Amino acid sequence: MAQTVSEFVIGRLREWGVRRVFGFPGDGIGEFDGMLGKAERAGEGVEYIRPTHEEICALMATAHAKFTGEVGVCIATSSPGGFHMMNGLYDAKMDNQPVVAIVGQQGLNSLGTFNQQESNLEQAFSDVAEYVQTIVSPEQAQAVIDIAFRTAITRKQPCVVILPHDVQGMKMAEPGAEMWVSRSSAVAPSTAIAPPAAQLQAAADIVNAGERVTFLVGAGADGATEEVLQAARLAGAGVITTLRGKQVVSGDIPFHTQQVGLLGSRPSYDQMQDCDTLVLLGTNYPYGQFLPKTGQARAVQIDLRPEQLGLRYPTEVSIWADVKTALTGLLPLLRQKEDLSWQGKVAEKMRDWDAELAAQAEKHYDDGVNPRKVYAELNKRLPAGAIVTCDAGTTADWYGHYIRLRDGMRGDLSGRLATMLAAMPYAEAAKFAYPDRTVVCTIGDGAFQMLGMNELITLKKYISKWDDPTFVVLVLHNDDLTQVSWEMRTEDANPVWSTSQDVESVDYAGWARLLGFQGITVTSDDQVEAAWDTALAHRGVTVIDAHTGKNIPPLPPHITYEFAKNTGLALLKGDPDGIGAIKDSATSLITEGVERVKDALHLDHGDDHGN
């Protein structure tokens, strides 16, 4: 029997190296779904993962791309399913990830006739997709699929292929040497772009001349860890990673000061204030207020996305290349710095900062478990190769402050889209990609109610497929959209509006037990350590329902006048949690102040300061 267009597309996905897709069925993609089932029965298909919603399909495809470096693929039916995927595709777009979405459509004759579920999908996807095209004939299918994959790989962006229902079942035709017919290949293009020698030398001259060099390393440097560290050691540089670049440089590197910004470290803030040379590696870090002042530092940038070069900070040398290839060419041109005092100072400040974080984690608050302690104890226990995800709420603050990825560990979150919804789909995609590793999803109760609770059902469906079923979900349960509550206070000087911010309390541990999983409720600080020990020792899914305080402030490393003024005004305007917020903020600030005084007096550091 002749091959159909659907069967050809499935085979072409395999040629492009696709081994897993994330999909949700529907009549608009029905014939294609049927052929996926046929291929599975014949042992010639791809693994089909079906979560509970199309949005999760797209978020999982994005996460798959992030964690594996492969193209993520998601599949949905026509208008309703396709529209649901939009948010996940924007996540891929804004975080520069290669994703191909295959979306069903009503039959060709329905196009433009206002038929049931017939929408202008090309127009709908035109903003989010780098390439969007409807396959209107069998002869066109090969080229459209290949263009979508090539574009996704080279441009690091999502692409959308629209497949009308009747075209899905048409007999496939081999493209011939004819007018208007393209014959293409399923061969992945190289993205190892090497810069000109003159540019490398110009970059080396700037780095060699610098006395206080700082590397800002983003997710675009993934895979170049060895080269980044070699260059940093030659340049005597301090290293800062973006939140998404956290996994590029191990957390136990002494001169790695973790993140910069509102949820960054004070040593990273100090580096940006004092450096005379800034090297941006695979990052489009958007918070200009935390970068050096204009004219303070000479700057070099390396990035695979040319439109991002010289965009966030004025650079003298902008190199269009992948970070690994560029640094390989740059390393022989860098001179070993003899004076490593800058790098040593950075490392010393980081030791002091870690002591301050440890002290903050041990403080007791009256309104619930200290979330800092929850993350500090997790960090102590992370097994080699663990994968950690978080949402974009206060979990991102505690993840940034306390989690030190090392020993081949990985971690990620939705970056520039900063969606609260990604933590659970990301964790699931990571588990499918690395079924032998421990995965920890850290998520707030607001996000858990959005796309977390329902995905425990997906875990129940697929847990038997994993070599090591250890999967831990930490829910920060404080009945409040905490990050937004603090943003209302600190950014706009508004009191918390309970009508919008309150989250209905749910027994999350009980919901886990209802599904046959392990559920642990934590209501006091002294239960935290045992909870993690029990969860990480369990070969299965565990939900830790941690009743954390909502008034514990995610303090930035440098408190500006505006931050303090807005917070004070918000509390004076009748914030319903005002007394608790003032009390918990004072406790945090007192601990912070005591630790900084200790630093100045060289107390409690022993041999670190020669005492």
Side-chain angles (χ1 to χ4, degrees):
M1 185 177 294
Q3 187 183 48
T4 65
V5 170
S6 290
E7 290 173 306
F8 167 80
V9 171
I10 293 166
R12 205 62 165 184
L13 294 180
R14 289 167 58 95
E15 287 187 63
W16 277 103
V18 176
R19 51 198 172 90
R20 179 179 300 113
V21 298
F22 305 95
F24 204 96
D27 65 327
I29 195 71
E31 175 65 17
F32 185 75
D33 287 339
M35 292 305 97
L36 283 170
K38 178 183 176 182
E40 181 186 79
R41 291 189 293 273
E44 299 173 351
V46 293
E47 184 182 17
Y48 183 89
I49 305 300
R50 202 219 74 191
T52 61
H53 194 277
E54 291 93 348
E55 182 175 5
I56 296 171
C57 294
L59 287 168
M60 290 176 78
T62 301
H64 179 87
K66 288 182 175 183
F67 285 122
T68 67
E70 302 169 354
V71 178
V73 177
C74 50
I75 301 170
T77 189
S78 51
S79 298
F83 296 155
H84 285 165
M85 289 202 308
M86 201 77 76
N87 196 43
L89 294 179
Y90 270 108
D91 188 36
K93 175 185 177 69
M94 300 186 76
D95 277 359
N96 302 318
Q97 296 303 310
V99 170
V100 171
I102 298 175
V103 181
Q105 174 64 289
Q106 302 308 299
L108 290 173
N109 288 338
S110 75
L111 298 184
T113 67
F114 315 108
N115 216 310
Q116 173 79 2
Q117 292 191 357
E118 183 275 321
S119 300
N120 189 336
L121 295 180
E122 289 192 5
Q123 182 175 339
F125 285 109
S126 62
D127 181 64
V128 71
E130 188 76 11
Y131 173 77
V132 54
Q133 184 60 53
T134 302
I135 296 177
V136 297
S137 73
E139 291 83 358
Q140 184 201 17
Q142 182 187 88
V144 169
I145 292 293
D146 292 344
I147 292 170
F149 274 86
R150 276 195 298 270
T151 304
I153 291 168
T154 55
R155 298 295 299 154
K156 303 290 186 185
Q157 290 286 281
C159 297
V160 176
V161 174
I162 300 166
L163 197 53
H165 191 276
D166 50 355
V167 176
Q168 295 168 31
M170 290 180 182
K171 292 182 179 180
M172 185 58 192
E174 182 70 24
E178 303 169 12
M179 185 71 170
W180 303 323
V181 176
S182 293
R183 292 167 287 169
S184 60
S185 61
V187 177
S190 171
T191 57
I193 300 175
Q199 272 199 314
L200 289 174
Q201 187 60 62
D205 290 344
I206 291 173
V207 176
N208 288 334
E211 296 180 357
R212 301 182 303 280
V213 182
T214 289
F215 286 8
L216 179 57
V217 181
D222 209 3
T225 298
E226 183 178 344
E227 291 78 10
V228 169
L229 289 176
Q230 286 183 29
R233 290 188 173 106
L234 286 170
V239 174
I240 300 170
T241 52
T242 64
L243 202 58
R244 285 209 55 239
K246 197 177 184 74
Q247 66 186 14
V248 177
V249 179
S250 178
D252 55 12
I253 298 298
F255 49 86
H256 174 200
T257 60
Q258 297 293 312
Q259 285 68 69
V260 67
L262 287 174
L263 40 69
S265 72
R266 193 172 70 254
S268 292
Y269 176 84
D270 290 344
Q271 276 202 74
M272 286 300 187
Q273 293 297 303
D274 298 334
C275 69
D276 64 10
T277 306
L278 179 63
V279 181
L280 301 150
L281 300 173
T283 178
N284 187 30
Y285 182 78
Y287 304 105
Q289 68 269 38
F290 295 104
L291 295 175
K293 296 179 177 62
T294 301
Q296 171 192 318
R298 303 181 71 186
V300 172
Q301 186 174 3
I302 303 172
D303 207 288
L304 197 56
R305 295 293 305 275
E307 63 271 27
Q308 294 178 175
L309 291 168
L311 178 63
R312 304 301 180 191
Y313 190 82
T315 53
E316 290 185 44
V317 178
S318 296
I319 297 178
W320 180 19
D322 73 287
V323 173
K324 186 179 181 72
T325 301
L327 286 182
T328 300
L330 183 65
L331 283 169
L333 306 177
L334 296 179
R335 295 195 303 268
Q336 177 63 64
K337 285 281 196 308
E338 294 183 4
D339 182 0
L340 298 178
S341 58
W342 166 255
Q343 195 176 70
K345 182 180 179 181
V346 166
E348 180 180 5
K349 286 188 173 185
M350 193 59 190
R351 288 192 295 271
D352 294 338
W353 173 254
D354 281 339
E356 183 176 312
L357 289 180
Q360 291 273 15
E362 293 304 316
K363 298 306 295 181
H364 174 73
Y365 297 90
D366 293 337
D367 70 331
V369 175
N370 184 349
R372 294 175 177 270
K373 183 174 182 63
V374 177
Y375 278 77
E377 296 302 332
L378 167 62
N379 186 62
K380 294 175 185 177
R381 292 165 171 76
L382 282 175
I387 302 172
V388 186
T389 68
C390 68
D391 66 43
T394 53
T395 63
D397 292 86
W398 314 133
Y399 170 84
H401 283 176
Y402 286 95
I403 299 302
R404 302 287 188 263
L405 299 174
R406 55 199 182 276
D407 299 328
M409 298 175 187
R410 298 181 69 86
D412 219 321
L413 74 163
S414 174
R416 287 184 54 222
L417 186 62
T419 175
M420 292 174 62
L421 308 176
M424 194 67 165
Y426 274 34
E428 292 173 285
K431 192 65 175 177
F432 282 112
Y434 303 99
D436 58 338
R437 297 196 190 188
T438 296
V439 172
V440 180
C441 169
T442 69
I443 189 168
D445 49 3
F448 194 60
Q449 289 188 12
M450 286 192 233
L451 289 187
M453 295 180 71
N454 51 338
E455 280 308 287
L456 288 183
I457 300 170
T458 303
L459 295 182
K460 183 176 177 65
K461 178 179 180 180
Y462 290 104
I463 188 172
S464 63
K465 301 173 73 71
W466 299 326
D467 298 334
D468 179 357
T470 305
F471 191 110
V472 184
V473 182
L474 165 68
V475 182
L476 297 189
H477 182 170
N478 57 22
D479 303 330
D480 183 72
L481 299 177
T482 314
Q483 186 80 335
V484 180
S485 293
W486 280 101
E487 288 170 347
M488 291 178 75
R489 294 172 178 134
T490 62
E491 293 182 10
D492 301 310
N494 285 320
V496 168
W497 184 32
S498 298
T499 301
S500 72
Q501 297 307 107
D502 286 354
V503 175
E504 185 66 24
S505 188
V506 173
D507 181 2
Y508 303 112
W511 168 236
R513 289 190 290 269
L514 183 64
L515 292 172
F517 298 145
Q518 178 172 247
I520 301 173
T521 301
V522 176
T523 56
S524 64
D525 291 345
D526 58 10
Q527 297 174 333
V528 171
E529 297 180 33
W532 280 121
D533 290 338
T534 302
L536 293 170
H538 178 61
R539 287 184 61 81
V541 176
T542 301
V543 172
I544 297 178
D545 185 356
H547 291 243
T548 53
K550 65 180 178 180
N551 294 318
I552 301 164
L555 293 172
H558 175 73
I559 299 175
T560 64
Y561 170 75
E562 182 180 14
F563 182 99
K565 181 190 73 172
N566 286 346
T567 304
L569 288 173
L571 298 177
L572 289 172
K573 289 177 182 177
D575 192 300
D577 301 315
I579 294 176
I582 291 171
K583 183 177 179 181
D584 289 349
S585 297
T587 299
S588 296
L589 287 169
I590 289 169
T591 303
E592 181 179 298
V594 167
E595 288 304 309
R596 295 184 190 184
V597 170
K598 286 182 179 180
D599 292 344
L601 297 177
H602 293 181
L603 298 177
D604 295 345
H605 291 290
D607 292 340
D608 286 347
H609 292 281
N611 295 327

